[in-house]
Amino acid sequence: MLKRLLLGSVIFTALASASFNAVAAGVTYKLDPEHTNVIASWSHFGYSHPSANFGMATGTLVYDADAPENSSVEVSMPLSGLDTFVPALDAHLKTAEFFDAAKFPASTFKSTRVQVVGIGLLEVAGTLTLKGVGKAVTLHVRLNNVGVHPMTKLQTIGFDANATIKRSDFGMGMYAPAVSDEINLRITTEASVASTKPPAP
């Protein structure tokens, strides 16, 4: 009888531990390309500050609300989605002088560390790869909202982020410093868990 009680206690403890770990583990979200913008802006000879949107970004975000430092993100940004609102500039930026989109059709970011720096504030360090060159970049991130989206009814999370990079670090320093070497990045994104609804008959 004592052995059965001890065995039951061990099994219960194991199940409880497994259940806790499942709850505490991060939730995996898929980025919504229609609600994700990666905007780059720069100084043009000191006269204006043009911008470009890296659209069609896709990726996976794992967020652990109980331990945000265990979170991670991986994003791919196809150069086919690059839009400066000036077709001639789009074409120029895709040449070998800049992104060389024919050889490197996508840019990527993969996190290596997440640090909590305030309420709803994170620093996400990772590797940004442009034109085949990977460099360490830190995103300053604000958690906007997390919960069930009122339209999709899916668990959804939203962030804003910003960072500054040097384009010369990635072999794209043409016209610098007249056209600024520093590029400001502004990011906003929504990401949702996959739907668990069964397919319609």
Side-chain angles (χ1 to χ4, degrees), residues 159-182:
F159 292 94
D160 282 348
N162 64 78
T164 301
I165 64 172
K166 286 188 175 182
R167 57 191 178 91
S168 59
D169 287 345
F170 301 91
M172 295 185 285
M174 181 171 283
Y175 306 126
V179 177
S180 61
D181 191 16
E182 285 196 345

Side-chain angles (χ1 to χ4, degrees), residues 83-94:
D83 185 4
T84 64
F85 316 108
V86 181
L89 181 55
D90 293 347
H92 189 193
L93 290 178
K94 293 176 184 177

Side-chain angles (χ1 to χ4, degrees), residues 103-146:
K103 186 175 181 181
F104 305 100
S107 301
T108 61
F109 176 81
K110 184 175 183 179
S111 65
T112 55
R113 178 182 57 82
V114 176
Q115 182 179 1
V116 178
V117 294
I119 298 175
L121 301 176
L122 306 169
E123 284 190 353
V124 179
T127 301
L128 176 65
T129 302
L130 301 173
K131 202 176 182 179
V133 178
K135 293 290 183 179
V137 171
T138 298
L139 302 179
H140 305 282
V141 179
R142 177 183 296 275
L143 172 63
N144 294 328
N145 198 6
V146 59

Side-chain angles (χ1 to χ4, degrees), residues 33-102:
E34 295 183 358
H35 294 93
T36 298
N37 291 324
V38 180
I39 306 294
S41 62
W42 59 93
S43 172
H44 187 256
F45 295 91
Y47 291 103
S48 63
H49 293 85
S51 61
N53 179 27
F54 291 81
M56 300 166 57
T58 59
T60 302
L61 187 155
V62 178
Y63 184 69
D64 188 334
D66 294 327
E69 64 275 10
N70 294 330
S71 303
S72 63
V73 62
E74 189 167 353
V75 181
S76 177
M77 297 164 286
L79 271 300
S80 58
L82 177 65
D83 185 4
T84 64
F85 316 108
V86 181
L89 181 55
D90 293 347
H92 189 193
L93 290 178
K94 293 176 184 177
T95 67
E97 291 181 344
F98 289 97
F99 287 101
D100 198 359

